[in-house]
Amino acid sequence: DAKTTQPPSMDCAEGRAANLPCNHSTISGNEYVYWYRQIHSQGPQYIIHGLKNNETNEMASLIITEDRKSSTLILPHATLRDTAVYYCIVPIRVTAAGNKLTFGGGTRVLVKP
Amino acid sequence: GAVVSQHPSRVICKSGTSVKIECRSLDFQATTMFWYRQFPKQSLMLMATSNEGSKATYEQGVEKDKFLINHASLTLSTLTVTSAHPEDSSFYICSAGTAYSNQPQHFGDGTRLSIL
């Protein structure tokens, strides 16, 4: 399984972009990178995932390096409601119908006014 | 996006009671459901994986006779904490996935279990 490494915490100014790095140097060619976040006392929320190409949705952008050993999640205009723990995960395939997510420590993002 | 409903959101009960937590996928067929536990200030820990119509696969150290999992349909999985004790107090969270393995799992809002 591909282990991920994230900084433990990060502060961000409201209205500015938040760039969250993740290292996954042992990722294999067919493994995706997923990002989730957990706001206090709630279940994790899916943000975005990608394989090789950069991805963008209504929540965030995901930039994956060409060698796929690292990625960056970008929250374009952080709001106070984006304060959460952000997890970068490379799942383990357990069955044909599902992948196992291993949650590490994540990055605790605090958006400040 | 996909919706996973978890019920109840909070339970407080006496030691020795058995507690059932339901996890429902509301708008998709969840061929696989996962159950996690999260203690204060810690990350989520996977307890077990269940596939519809088959026995759950438990992670190392998780007692299958204490944490009973049933996944009888493509939209419902239940976790029963049997004879709960104070050390079982935790935040229990389910997630649901589809047969399309690269589609993301979606999580319920969790159940906070407090055993007195």
Side-chain angles (χ1 to χ4, degrees):
Chain A
D1 56 312
K3 179 181 170 61
T4 62
T5 305
Q6 299 176 252
S9 64
M10 175 182 295
D11 289 349
C12 176
E14 185 180 21
R16 304 293 293 270
N19 296 323
L20 282 62
C22 178
N23 287 324
H24 32 79
S25 58
T26 61
I27 195 170
S28 65
N30 61 350
E31 290 180 319
Y32 282 70
V33 180
Y34 287 75
W35 284 82
Y36 286 81
R37 71 181 183 184
Q38 186 178 27
I39 296 170
H40 183 63
S41 296
Q42 296 182 22
Q45 177 188 22
Y46 165 75
I47 302 174
I48 199 166
H49 72 289
L51 180 64
K52 294 181 184 178
N53 301 321
N54 298 337
E55 302 287 345
T56 295
N57 63 21
E58 65 277 6
M59 290 183 69
S61 295
L62 175 61
I63 308 298
I64 302 173
T65 58
E66 192 169 342
D67 63 7
R68 301 206 331 115
K69 292 184 177 182
S70 65
S71 60
T72 300
L73 179 75
I74 301 173
L75 307 177
H77 304 287
T79 71
L80 299 180
R81 287 180 292 182
D82 292 322
T83 291
V85 180
Y86 288 75
Y87 296 98
C88 167
I89 302 172
V90 176
I92 303 166
R93 178 73 59 88
V94 289
T95 69
N99 296 323
K100 182 164 75 171
L101 304 180
T102 300
F103 286 81
T107 296
R108 188 172 298 274
V109 174
L110 176 61
V111 181
K112 296 182 174 180
Chain B
V3 178
V4 175
S5 174
Q6 193 171 335
H7 178 81
S9 59
R10 185 174 180 91
V11 179
I12 301 173
C13 57
K14 295 180 179 179
S15 183
T17 306
S18 292
V19 179
K20 180 184 283 189
I21 303 170
E22 291 188 349
C23 180
R24 294 181 184 272
S25 59
L26 299 185
D27 55 357
F28 67 101
Q29 294 185 324
T31 47
T32 306
M33 285 187 172
F34 301 84
W35 288 95
Y36 297 81
R37 181 167 53 182
Q38 185 175 30
F39 292 107
K41 298 186 178 180
Q42 295 185 20
S43 192
L44 282 77
M45 294 295 295
L46 180 65
M47 299 174 66
T49 302
S50 74
N51 291 308
E52 183 263 340
S54 62
K55 290 184 179 181
T57 302
Y58 290 80
E59 295 297 302
Q60 191 171 8
V62 178
E63 299 175 58
K64 64 179 181 179
D65 294 330
K66 181 166 185 64
F67 299 100
L68 302 179
I69 292 173
N70 183 280
H71 191 168
S73 78
L74 287 172
T75 59
L76 174 64
S77 176
T78 60
L79 167 68
T80 301
V81 183
T82 61
S83 187
H85 293 287
E87 59 266 28
D88 298 321
S89 297
S90 188
F91 192 46
Y92 292 86
I93 309 167
C94 71
S95 71
T98 71
Y100 301 98
S101 59
N102 289 321
Q103 290 303 304
Q105 293 175 31
H106 293 276
F107 286 78
D109 276 338
T111 297
R112 187 159 302 283
L113 176 61
S114 300
I115 307 298
L116 305 177

